[in-house]
Amino acid sequence: MIKKTVLFVLVLIGVSFAGIVAYRIISPEIVIVNISPHTIREAVIHLPSNRISFGEIAPGSENSIYYSVSQADGTYNYSLTFSNGNSISGSCGYVTNSEFGKRLQFIVNVSEEVECQESNKIF
């Protein structure tokens, strides 16, 4: 009886882990990479169907958020506020419905300018 229970728990853990890995591979993702010398106090990304807000991102670090594949077509609009009081905003990249495995990186460089890099996590 104990062996069956342990086996059941192990299978349940394995299935759960596989589900989490599949979700992270399939779900579209936004990554903000902060290479600037200042902390990003707040980063907001507006998608056509969602608003995504990031908290603080220290210099030399990054943060990512997964979002729903159900989106209207449109651009990614961003606004960033830095610890030194500077703010920047703009747009880059294009979002469409059902973009499985997409990753869009917003790379904030030393000059506090944003460079966008789009890739596909699946292939």
Side-chain angles (χ1 to χ4, degrees):
M1 181 68 172
I2 292 176
K3 287 183 180 181
K4 287 184 180 182
T5 303
V6 169
L7 181 60
F8 176 76
V9 169
L10 290 175
V11 168
L12 186 61
I13 290 171
V15 169
S16 298
F17 181 74
I20 291 169
V21 169
Y23 174 80
R24 292 187 72 164
I25 290 172
I26 292 172
S27 295
E29 175 183 22
I30 294 175
V31 180
I32 298 179
V33 180
N34 186 8
I35 303 173
S36 81
H38 301 102
T39 297
I40 298 172
R41 232 184 308 153
E42 181 182 37
V44 177
I45 311 295
H46 290 274
L47 285 73
S49 302
N50 293 89
R51 176 186 182 273
I52 299 173
S53 180
F54 291 79
E56 283 194 359
I57 304 170
S61 63
E62 64 183 53
N63 198 348
S64 63
I65 293 180
Y66 298 92
Y67 63 93
S68 172
V69 295
S70 299
Q71 297 292 323
D73 292 357
T75 59
Y76 296 89
N77 296 302
Y78 62 87
S79 62
L80 308 174
T81 304
F82 295 90
S83 59
N84 64 357
N86 290 346
S87 295
I88 57 172
S89 60
S91 64
C92 65
Y94 194 79
V95 61
T96 58
N97 191 33
S98 299
E99 290 185 299
F100 294 98
K102 179 180 183 175
R103 173 182 289 154
L104 181 65
Q105 288 188 321
F106 291 84
I107 302 170
V108 184
N109 65 26
V110 176
S111 304
E112 295 181 356
E113 298 170 336
V114 174
E115 302 170 23
C116 295
Q117 294 181 355
E118 200 172 304
S119 64
N120 194 320
K121 297 184 287 186
I122 296 174
F123 305 107

